[in-house]
Amino acid sequence: MKTIGIICEYNPFHNGHAHQLHTLAQEHPEALRICIMSGSFVQRGEPAIFSKFDRARWAILGGADIVIELPTLYSLGSAQLFGTGAIRMVKALHIDALSFGSETANLDALVDIAKRMDCESTQAVLRTYINEGMSYGSAFRKALDTEILNTPNALLGLEYIRAGLNYHPTLKYMPILRTSDHHEANITKDLPSGTALRKLITNMATGSNNCNINSIVPKTIADDMTNIISNGAYVNYNRYYDMLHTLSRRTSTNKLESFGEFNEGIEHLWSKAAQQPTWNLAMKQIKSKRYTYARLQRMGAYLTLGIQKDLLQSAIQEAPQYARLLAFNDRGRQWLRNDFEIPLIQKWAKAPNELNTLGQTMHQIDTLATDIQALCLHNEVKRIGHMDYTYTPQYIK
């Protein structure tokens, strides 16, 4: 085994992520650790709290050898689209194995369930539950009748294996047992959840704490992250939600219907809810069993970035059209000389010349996602546009 892929968001990087990378380094010291990381927007349906450039650097300092950006069309997707896009990129980059955090390390059980996911009997029951008003996730959990699907990382792991069975049948899987609660809102241990760490950082804006992160992120990045926070180069989510609220008020219901996942007349309820005084109240008015907060946030991101249904359908049918290099170290340097099934992009301005029409559209969406995220930063000096074009992949010795 020469390469191990890690599909990640690092939103933000913390001790739990370092634990996974260090475990892989100890057990497979010869293998390169290649991270396929979400860029400026993440699967939660909102901007990442820090820029992809900072998060890529921290990943290398935390134990990765190479960091590649997963295009926004996939990083924003449902668990199935996110997992499928990432696995197809893993295949295109000729990566041998995949490691992922999971609430269960029982690989045989995960593979067995993944094989059942595409069975016609499972799909028929799934459609029945969805027609009854359940969300996709809840319907899948009930159709497969397994407690494993109640845990978010195991669900993503299943989607990775499901996609691997279809697109990368020789891929090996290496689940690493997750010991912390993915959604735990408070810092309770040295391996915190991303939710807890984002809450800690976000609370800085109100002055409610001093944001001492030293015990929950690796020592190699603690000072750097603290400096970034002190300089206000992290997202103020109120700015993003005000932006989304404004777009929702000025977009007609007919136009809303063209954006990703706006189905079944939800655009009418969306327009009505947009008249609420805050975006939080608007979301509460729209939320239902079928339309969970996660799905609504994704829809909001599709509206913000102009991602329409036809483009989303193209992303579902096709693989990522390129792999954008964000950071690497000495160990990863030699790997960059290999030939891959898709272009490995190092210079953003020249990339469109190497890409087909879909690839050029993905490039435009990634650029816009970075620009929108920058506009949401606390420090107005940091809200510079087109940072993608001035960025050179970070070589960290």
Side-chain angles (χ1 to χ4, degrees):
M1 183 177 6
K2 296 180 180 179
T3 50
I4 300 173
I6 301 100
I7 300 167
C8 57
E9 295 189 315
Y10 295 156
N11 187 31
F13 195 92
H14 57 65
N15 284 343
H17 302 128
H19 169 73
Q20 179 189 23
L21 290 167
H22 291 162
T23 299
L24 293 173
Q26 290 173 351
E27 295 180 356
H28 306 277
E30 78 292 347
L32 286 179
R33 297 174 292 281
I34 303 174
C35 293
I36 309 296
M37 188 185 79
S38 298
S40 299
F41 273 64
V42 294
Q43 212 222 348
R44 289 167 53 84
E46 62 189 17
I49 194 166
F50 294 112
S51 80
K52 61 192 176 189
F53 313 123
D54 292 329
R55 286 156 43 232
R57 179 173 66 256
W58 296 335
I60 298 295
L61 293 172
D65 295 310
I66 297 158
V67 181
I68 301 290
E69 179 180 356
L70 180 66
T72 305
L73 283 179
Y74 302 97
S75 73
L76 262 179
S78 64
Q80 184 177 9
L81 179 56
F82 179 94
T84 301
I87 289 297
R88 295 184 77 173
M89 180 175 278
V90 164
K91 171 66 166 58
L93 296 176
H94 305 149
I95 294 172
D96 305 313
L98 180 75
S99 174
F100 55 91
S102 175
E103 289 82 359
T104 176
N106 187 338
L107 180 57
D108 289 340
L110 290 171
V111 171
D112 178 65
I113 295 167
K115 288 179 178 177
R116 290 167 50 202
M117 292 173 83
D118 285 320
C119 291
E120 180 52 41
S121 58
T122 301
Q123 290 294 315
V125 175
L126 174 66
R127 288 190 292 270
T128 298
Y129 289 139
I130 288 176
N131 290 336
E132 291 176 359
M134 286 188 184
S135 68
Y136 177 84
S138 296
F140 232 141
R141 278 189 283 272
K142 194 166 182 180
L144 289 165
D145 190 25
T146 173
E147 290 298 317
I148 289 178
L149 282 169
N150 291 328
T151 55
N153 286 279
L155 177 57
L156 271 176
L158 286 171
E159 291 292 358
Y160 299 152
I161 297 170
R162 180 189 190 186
L165 292 171
N166 288 322
Y167 297 106
H168 196 347
T170 62
L171 186 65
K172 298 180 176 67
Y173 303 99
M174 304 163 59
I176 292 181
L177 191 64
R178 185 185 177 95
T179 58
S180 60
D181 183 351
H182 181 78
H183 291 302
E184 172 59 52
N186 298 309
I187 301 292
T188 58
K189 53 186 74 176
D190 290 338
L191 298 180
S193 70
T195 300
L197 188 48
R198 286 190 298 273
K199 178 182 176 183
L200 182 66
I201 294 166
T202 301
N203 283 346
M204 280 195 68
T206 64
S208 59
N209 62 61
N210 294 320
C211 194
N212 184 357
I213 61 173
N214 291 320
S215 66
I216 51 182
V217 303
K219 292 179 181 179
T220 52
I221 71 171
D223 288 346
D224 190 5
M225 186 181 290
T226 299
N227 184 55
I228 295 291
I229 295 168
S230 298
N231 287 329
Y234 66 103
V235 167
N236 177 348
Y237 286 98
N238 289 330
R239 286 182 60 83
Y240 173 67
Y241 290 127
D242 283 347
M243 188 186 306
L244 177 51
H245 205 163
T246 301
L247 282 171
S248 296
R249 283 195 178 182
R250 73 179 297 273
T251 305
S252 69
T253 52
N254 286 341
K255 183 66 175 177
L256 281 175
E257 197 270 336
S258 69
F259 292 105
E261 296 202 28
F262 278 82
N263 302 313
E264 304 160 330
I266 191 70
E267 63 273 11
H268 299 285
L269 181 56
W270 190 283
S271 291
K272 183 177 180 180
Q275 309 315 311
Q276 290 286 343
T278 70
W279 192 245
N280 184 47
L281 289 173
M283 288 293 94
K284 287 182 178 179
Q285 185 170 325
I286 305 171
K287 184 185 178 298
S288 66
K289 285 184 179 181
R290 176 77 66 91
Y291 289 89
T292 63
Y293 280 126
R295 184 175 180 183
L296 294 175
Q297 288 197 158
R298 216 163 42 237
M299 292 163 63
Y302 290 152
L303 170 60
T304 302
L305 298 174
I307 297 174
Q308 298 190 326
K309 289 176 180 174
D310 56 347
L311 178 56
L312 204 56
Q313 190 59 39
S314 295
I316 292 169
Q317 293 173 349
E318 304 293 334
Q321 299 297 296
Y322 54 84
R324 199 237 178 124
L325 177 66
L326 292 177
F328 62 101
N329 63 11
D330 272 331
R331 276 171 48 86
R333 200 174 188 181
Q334 183 67 32
W335 179 85
L336 301 177
R337 300 173 184 172
N338 291 334
D339 292 326
F340 306 108
E341 296 175 19
I342 53 177
L344 182 66
I345 302 299
Q346 299 192 40
K347 294 184 178 180
W348 197 240
K350 294 182 178 180
N353 297 329
E354 302 180 49
L355 303 175
N356 60 18
T357 300
L358 178 59
Q360 290 171 2
T361 302
M362 288 184 180
H363 181 278
Q364 293 166 3
I365 295 293
D366 284 351
T367 302
L368 179 59
T370 303
D371 288 350
I372 294 295
Q373 183 198 39
L375 272 181
C376 298
L377 299 180
H378 280 270
N379 187 346
E380 63 181 22
V381 175
K382 303 291 184 180
R383 297 173 193 159
I384 301 169
H386 275 198
M387 291 299 293
D388 277 306
Y389 290 95
T390 63
Y391 179 77
T392 300
Q394 297 172 79
Y395 170 41
I396 300 171
K397 296 181 181 179

